[in-house]
Amino acid sequence: MELNQLQRSFLEYTAALFREGFLDSQFSQLYQLQDESNPEFVVEVVSLFFEDSERLINDLSRALDQTIVDFRKIDAHVHQLKGSSSSIGAQRVKNSCVSFRNFCEAQNIEECSKCLQQVKQEYLLIKNKLEALFQLEKQIVAAGGAINMVEWML
Amino acid sequence: MDACHCIEPQWPADELLMKYQYISDFFIALAYFSIPLELVYFVKKSAVFPYRWVLVQFGSFIVLCGATHLISLWTFTMHSRTVAVVMTTAKILTAVVSCATALMLVHIIPDLLSVKKRELYLKKKAAQLDREMGLIRTQEETGRYVRMLTHEIRSTLDRHTILKTTLIELGRTLALEECALWMPTHTGLELQLSYTLRHQYPMGFIVPIQLPVINQVFSSNRAVKISSSSPVARLRPAGKYTTGEVVAVRVPLLHLSNFQINDWPELMTKRYALMVLVLPSDSARQWHVHELELVEVVADQVAVALSHAAILEESMRARDLLMEQNVALDLARREAETAVRAHNDFLAVMNHEMRTPVHAIIALSSLLQETKLTPEQRLMVETILRSSSLLATLINDVLDLSRLKDGSFKLDIRTLSLHVLFWEALNLIRPIASVKKLFVTLSFSSDMPEHAIGDEKRLMQVLLNIVGNAVKFTRVGSISISASVAKSESLRDPRAPGFFPVPSDNHFYLHVQVKDTGSGINPQEIPNLFTKFAQSQSSGTKNSSGSGLGLAISKRFVNLMEGHIWIESEGLGKGSTAIFVVKLGIPGRSHESILPFVPKVPENRVPTKFLGLKVVLMDENGVGRMVTKGILMHLGCEVLTVSSGDECLRVLIHEHKVVFLDVSLPSIDSYELSVRIHEKFSQHFSRPFIVALMGNRDKLMTENCLRAGMDGVVPKPVSVEKMRSALSELLEHGLLLDS
């Protein structure tokens, strides 16, 4: 595929992600921070996010599986997850974290499990999507183009 | 016999007969001797006689004959033998010569006869030539008459003069008794006596045109002899006396249009006038052929002269008409100019007059907005502001359009920064788009230059118009703006085949595409989009507020920039794409330093304001930490990250100007940390600013932070802009107010 088409697909893909609420304006901030001195910033941050999130989700599942559920810990984990996801603009993950936290306060295990499932689902979704996005980016870079792009989302 | 050897004549010498013979012989001899003398004399006199030899022969023959006769005179009496011998010799000689002459004459006489014939022939020829000369002379005379007549006729372009002169001259040349001209009436059915030579009796005799004599004359282009009793020839009121011979000839009345035909217009003329010429009755003159020919020629000349006169009349009339029209047009033009000037003056004045109060309203309403207002009041003020902004735009648009129309518009060409242009445009539509929750993307192609030469204000206007429309007509979804350098293939709009942009060394074509997921446009309405004041009638566009001028003006500007603008849409509800291509200059080296203003957009270069600013960032969350660190580094700071309060206290030194604490985590008591930081630096002159990074805006929490000694709060997730403004405010004022 030639460069223009690739770039167009990239834009459209990103646009779709934003439109569907997967990402919010914070994500565009990340691209702003990417420059010649920091060419892989976005990928690095997102990878860190993936690591962090996976770890936290595992911790959460373990915590919920305990006989005695430590809601404070769960809340702390969820808080972390919420923080990370909001830092990179993974909107849906963040939103599901918010509802998770509410149920945590209510100390409702069932609901919390459900929320955890939701969070997991959202996380997997955003992971796939972001990975596809980076794939496209790699193709563009390989074809000689650059993502000299600034996204604004309001 | 005698001893004298004489010879006796046969007859006695004194017989009467002998005597007569003797005398005759004498005279013969005389004559014979004188004839050659005469011949010689006369031949000598004339120079032309070609047969001298014959003359000699003849002369000698005659002489000898004469000699013979002379000698025979002696033979009448007794003569001696010598005489007889001489006589015989002479006779013999004579015989010889005469035979020779006779023989010669056989050859000569036919020649002489033919000379005669030639002479006769020449005489005949001479007579013929004489006759011809006579004819030529007559013709020449006729020609002279005609020329003179023509000259007279043509020397005037007045119809009446022409006709009058013709009649007079003809009358004089041919010594006519009477000469008259019958012209066809308007109806074409009658001939009216229009001009006569001599008699001043009332004009207006009318004869019907269908008379056989008239038809006869009209059907031939020759002068025709007519009877003097025919109605056209009856030129005297009372036919008391007979008139001489009458000749009539037709005069073709040529129309203007006939001159455009190649063949002689004779075939096309329909109207003829009739010229009647009457010889004097008291002379026995007949019409000679050459006179008839003269008449015919004159008739033709008159026809030509008349048509010239007609043409002239026409052209004079046309010229007068044109002059009148010219004057009228001139007047109209001056009036129009005055009107236009008045209109422009009015517009300019009104514009200025209208702009001033509108600007005042806008300015004061903005100021009012900043003050403390009740929600109702705020709503009112916002409405006022919106309405007056709209009014200001309308006024500007109208003025622009009127200036564009009379071509008094000039582009203001300067160096501009394309990146800045697009950023500013985005900044301007950001508020509206955020309210509508629309996603806006902006992308530049990698080969797009940062700077260009063009009219920045108008380019911005076009861009804002297009993007504004996109935002206006999109209820939900996204708008993507992409700018690139146009390659020739992508420049062609299938609907504008005449647009062939050619990039050159000094110019490039900027290709801007704005695609939205809005309400779309009915493809049939697309051609009307760029016409002034035409609003689309499609339902669903409730907020069709706008003067309808925007696209028209944009199109004008784009055209001025030698570009092209068009809109594509697949239909209602399917979004639309607006594309424009404009020609911009490529700045040379010397231009790069000339920037009309300082760009406010965050560039990928490190801004100098925060360069090297040492900060400490404390955040437990790894991702958040990384992002905030990235932002701070992007702004030029030197960041030290820590993940716990103790670590923070440990690394914090007085060179750090700011310390950022993430306060969203309950495990770390940020308030205590803040107090401890204060304690740590209590001995120093300055301590670092303490800024809280707060996830949820919490009034209580903010108050607690501030009470704990923190200098400000920055909301999380952090954005570059927010961080930048926070840092600026912090460094300038030392305090970060609620942002």
Side-chain angles (χ1 to χ4, degrees):
Chain A
M1 264 213 284
E2 51 123 333
L3 191 58
N4 276 339
Q5 258 180 300
L6 281 173
Q7 282 175 326
R8 243 201 310 270
S9 322
F10 184 88
L11 269 178
E12 277 166 18
Y13 195 66
T14 336
L17 286 179
F18 279 90
R19 220 184 2 252
E20 291 157 26
F22 285 106
L23 297 172
D24 65 19
S25 61
Q26 190 62 19
F27 189 71
S28 26
Q29 292 286 321
L30 300 184
Y31 269 98
Q32 273 197 300
L33 306 177
Q34 181 163 290
D35 55 20
E36 303 90 45
S37 55
N38 227 338
E40 294 290 312
F41 183 72
V42 181
V43 176
E44 283 172 11
V45 174
V46 171
S47 317
L48 184 59
F49 167 72
F50 288 160
E51 279 175 32
D52 237 20
S53 309
E54 263 158 47
R55 185 177 44 85
L56 283 167
I57 288 175
N58 287 336
D59 287 345
L60 278 169
S61 352
R62 242 178 301 127
L64 274 174
D65 277 341
Q66 301 284 326
T67 39
I68 306 172
V69 173
D70 186 355
F71 281 104
R72 284 240 318 249
K73 213 164 160 203
I74 291 180
D75 188 62
H77 286 317
V78 174
H79 185 89
Q80 285 271 353
L81 188 57
K82 174 167 161 263
S84 328
S85 53
S86 85
S87 291
I88 69 152
Q91 193 176 37
R92 276 158 89 145
V93 177
K94 180 187 86 173
N95 289 340
S96 45
C97 286
V98 171
S99 35
F100 199 147
R101 274 190 98 187
N102 290 337
F103 287 121
C104 244
E105 267 186 51
Q107 305 212 347
N108 191 333
I109 297 185
E110 257 186 58
E111 291 298 325
C112 284
S113 307
K114 274 200 217 145
C115 279
L116 179 60
Q117 290 313 310
Q118 174 118 8
V119 168
K120 231 193 212 169
Q121 219 178 342
E122 289 299 341
Y123 164 72
L124 286 169
L125 270 174
I126 195 69
K127 179 169 180 199
N128 282 337
K129 299 231 179 255
L130 286 175
E131 275 174 351
L133 194 70
F134 292 142
Q135 199 60 20
L136 259 176
E137 195 181 332
K138 250 193 253 181
Q139 279 182 322
I140 289 174
V141 172
I147 308 292
N148 183 8
M149 177 186 74
V150 177
E151 291 179 52
W152 279 75
M153 200 284 204
L154 310 150
Chain B
M1 265 334 101
D2 294 78
C4 61
H5 296 284
C6 311
I7 296 177
E8 287 227 8
Q10 285 173 317
W11 300 86
D14 44 312
E15 275 256 355
L16 203 63
L17 286 173
M18 288 295 113
K19 278 212 172 70
Y20 283 129
Q21 273 196 3
Y22 185 86
I23 295 169
S24 315
D25 270 333
F26 176 70
F27 276 112
I28 289 174
L30 202 65
Y32 273 3
F33 278 128
S34 50
I35 287 176
L37 286 172
E38 285 171 13
L39 271 175
V40 165
Y41 176 70
F42 282 114
V43 165
K44 268 228 162 79
K45 269 248 167 125
S46 101
V48 198
F49 200 76
Y51 299 112
R52 293 206 184 223
W53 173 241
V54 169
L55 195 65
V56 166
Q57 247 181 332
F58 204 65
S60 49
F61 158 66
I62 291 185
V63 163
L64 281 169
C65 276
T68 313
H69 281 285
L70 191 65
I71 295 172
S72 72
L73 280 179
W74 270 266
T75 58
F76 284 107
T77 54
M78 271 237 264
H79 50 278
S80 61
R81 197 174 191 88
T82 341
V83 172
V85 166
V86 167
M87 178 77 198
T88 320
T89 323
K91 271 208 175 132
I92 293 171
L93 275 174
T94 314
V96 166
V97 172
S98 45
C99 287
T101 311
L103 283 172
M104 194 64 51
L105 278 175
V106 170
H107 294 284
I108 300 293
I109 287 183
D111 273 350
L112 286 175
L113 279 177
S114 78
V115 164
K116 207 63 190 164
K117 228 193 294 175
R118 246 177 269 147
E119 192 193 314
L120 275 170
Y121 176 71
L122 281 169
K123 262 211 204 108
K124 235 192 323 186
K125 270 286 170 205
Q128 203 178 349
L129 277 170
D130 263 337
R131 268 201 306 276
E132 275 174 14
M133 263 287 287
L135 244 116
I136 288 173
R137 221 178 284 133
T138 333
Q139 274 177 355
E140 200 251 315
E141 263 182 40
T142 314
R144 235 182 320 121
Y145 286 142
V146 170
R147 267 198 301 281
M148 183 256 302
L149 256 160
T150 312
H151 174 75
E152 292 291 325
I153 293 171
R154 301 278 202 101
S155 65
T156 167
L157 286 167
D158 172 42
R159 172 186 275 259
H160 294 287
T161 321
I162 289 173
L163 292 169
K164 266 270 171 233
T165 316
T166 312
L167 298 182
I168 292 171
E169 290 300 326
L170 265 180
R172 211 181 53 204
T173 309
L174 299 172
L176 297 173
E177 163 109 29
E178 182 58 86
C179 188
L181 190 68
W182 299 77
M183 302 279 281
T185 54
H186 292 303
T187 57
L189 296 174
E190 295 156 333
L191 285 180
Q192 188 181 29
L193 182 61
S194 314
Y195 301 92
T196 56
L197 180 57
R198 306 229 188 259
H199 297 276
Q200 313 299 324
Y201 50 79
M203 308 284 176
F205 275 17
I206 296 196
V207 293
I209 211 170
Q210 290 304 327
L211 288 180
V213 60
I214 298 180
N215 281 337
Q216 183 196 8
V217 177
F218 280 178
S219 57
S220 143
N221 63 344
R222 312 219 47 140
V224 173
K225 292 209 184 90
I226 61 175
S227 133
S228 50
S229 57
S230 62
V232 290
R234 263 193 251 124
L235 298 168
R236 313 278 173 106
K240 269 189 256 176
Y241 31 89
T242 56
T243 52
E245 285 208 350
V246 184
V247 148
V249 69
R250 70 174 189 189
V251 180
L253 294 173
L254 302 168
H255 294 287
L256 238 79
S257 54
N258 293 135
F259 288 109
Q260 291 157 5
I261 308 166
N262 280 336
D263 42 3
W264 193 243
E266 263 179 331
L267 304 163
M268 303 301 285
T269 52
K270 300 247 167 61
R271 292 172 17 122
Y272 297 107
L274 189 73
M275 189 150 60
V276 174
L277 305 109
V278 180
L279 281 180
S281 51
D282 47 357
S283 76
R285 267 177 62 193
Q286 297 267 328
W287 282 100
H288 296 279
V289 174
H290 72 269
E291 288 170 339
L292 291 179
E293 283 173 2
L294 177 72
V295 167
E296 285 157 21
V297 169
V298 168
D300 279 335
Q301 287 298 319
V302 166
V304 169
L306 279 176
S307 38
H308 282 188
I311 291 175
L312 183 77
E313 261 174 53
E314 278 290 322
S315 72
M316 296 289 283
R317 229 173 327 147
R319 191 188 66 142
D320 286 337
L321 195 65
L322 274 173
M323 269 181 44
E324 269 174 42
Q325 280 179 348
N326 249 2
V327 168
L329 275 173
D330 200 38
L331 190 66
R333 179 181 62 94
R334 265 181 284 139
E335 279 176 10
E337 271 178 12
T338 322
V340 164
R341 256 202 307 270
H343 170 81
N344 283 345
D345 287 341
F346 170 75
L347 265 184
V349 164
M350 280 311 289
N351 213 286
H352 176 75
E353 297 301 323
M354 285 199 287
R355 271 195 181 135
T356 319
V358 168
H359 284 169
I361 295 174
I362 293 176
L364 291 173
S365 314
S366 312
L367 281 177
L368 198 57
Q369 250 189 343
E370 307 279 319
T371 64
K372 223 179 182 150
L373 298 167
T374 70
E376 286 161 0
Q377 289 173 326
R378 190 166 287 278
L379 203 63
M380 287 189 238
V381 171
E382 274 173 9
T383 313
I384 293 173
L385 204 50
R386 242 205 322 276
S387 313
S388 38
S389 302
L390 207 64
L391 191 59
T393 317
L394 191 63
I395 293 171
N396 283 338
D397 280 356
V398 167
L399 184 67
D400 268 347
L401 202 62
S402 73
R403 272 201 299 157
L404 282 170
K405 255 199 313 182
D406 42 84
S408 59
F409 194 86
K410 284 201 177 44
L411 288 177
D412 182 19
I413 306 284
R414 284 202 237 174
T415 311
L416 57 96
S417 164
L418 285 169
H419 287 229
V420 170
L421 190 96
F422 282 97
W423 277 100
E424 293 225 329
L426 273 192
N427 275 338
L428 286 168
I429 62 152
R430 197 172 151 201
I432 311 174
S434 78
V435 163
K436 289 175 108 169
K437 292 201 185 339
L438 296 174
F439 159 62
V440 181
T441 19
L442 168 64
S443 83
F444 301 133
S445 74
S446 45
D447 57 355
M448 197 179 83
E450 256 198 68
H451 300 293
I453 299 180
D455 187 333
E456 185 184 5
K457 182 160 158 235
R458 274 64 195 231
L459 190 57
M460 173 70 99
Q461 216 168 331
V462 172
L463 184 61
L464 276 178
N465 180 249
I466 300 287
V467 173
N469 278 346
V471 169
K472 206 196 304 182
F473 291 106
T474 305
R475 260 184 309 130
V476 66
S478 64
I479 294 163
S480 82
I481 309 169
S482 60
S484 57
V485 172
K487 314 277 182 290
S488 12
E489 316 81 43
S490 64
L491 289 173
R492 307 269 181 84
D493 170 27
R495 269 162 305 187
F499 185 58
F500 288 125
V502 178
S504 71
D505 279 340
N506 294 327
H507 296 100
F508 72 100
Y509 283 87
L510 178 71
H511 179 274
V512 178
Q513 174 176 303
V514 176
K515 197 176 161 95
D516 70 58
T517 58
S519 47
I521 306 169
N522 192 341
Q524 287 162 340
E525 297 207 4
I526 288 184
N528 290 336
L529 285 172
F530 293 100
T531 40
K532 288 190 300 195
F533 307 120
Q535 296 262 32
S536 71
Q537 304 301 318
S538 59
S539 59
T541 54
K542 272 189 289 183
N543 51 337
S544 51
S545 57
S547 57
L549 285 177
L551 279 176
I553 293 182
S554 302
K555 185 174 167 92
R556 289 266 162 80
F557 284 145
V558 166
N559 285 341
L560 275 173
M561 294 189 224
E562 296 179 55
H564 188 56
I565 180 170
W566 69 98
I567 295 188
E568 296 166 10
S569 170
E570 286 174 33
L572 291 169
K574 299 210 179 108
S576 46
T577 309
I579 302 173
F580 68 88
V581 179
V582 288
K583 186 177 181 187
L584 297 173
I586 299 175
R589 294 287 158 87
S590 55
H591 287 294
E592 272 173 15
S593 52
I594 306 168
L595 288 178
F597 50 79
V598 177
K600 292 186 281 194
V601 71
E603 292 169 307
N604 283 342
R605 274 183 238 108
V606 172
T608 51
K609 206 149 77 163
F610 309 126
L611 190 57
L613 187 72
K614 284 187 157 61
V615 300
V616 169
L617 167 65
M618 189 210 79
D619 192 342
E620 249 194 8
N621 187 307
V623 175
R625 201 168 51 229
M626 193 171 177
V627 173
T628 316
K629 177 177 177 181
I631 292 174
L632 286 166
M633 280 176 65
H634 182 77
L635 291 174
C637 309
E638 266 186 45
V639 189
L640 191 59
T641 52
V642 294
S643 49
S644 74
D646 294 329
E647 215 185 326
C648 180
L649 281 171
R650 229 192 351 253
V651 302
L652 201 57
I653 51 174
H654 85 277
E655 276 159 347
H656 291 119
K657 294 280 178 268
V658 190
V659 63
F660 291 96
L661 308 176
D662 184 289
V663 300
S664 52
L665 300 159
S667 53
I668 297 175
D669 191 353
S670 327
Y671 309 132
E672 212 201 296
L673 187 54
S674 169
V675 170
R676 278 164 62 191
I677 293 173
H678 273 270
E679 282 172 9
K680 185 170 177 182
F681 288 90
S682 55
Q683 274 91 356
H684 294 88
F685 277 125
S686 65
R687 61 160 176 82
F689 291 111
I690 306 173
V691 177
L693 299 173
M694 196 182 295
N696 293 328
R697 262 290 182 77
D698 191 347
K699 230 176 164 177
L700 185 62
M701 212 177 190
T702 314
E703 276 183 32
N704 288 341
C705 286
L706 291 173
R707 231 180 288 134
M710 301 205 207
D711 300 297
V713 172
V714 170
K716 263 180 81 164
V718 192
S719 76
V720 178
E721 281 306 304
K722 288 207 200 106
M723 185 58 86
R724 187 208 304 274
S725 54
L727 278 176
S728 307
E729 247 197 87
L730 212 54
L731 293 174
E732 266 177 65
H733 301 136
L735 194 64
L736 188 58
L737 297 168
D738 198 359
S739 53

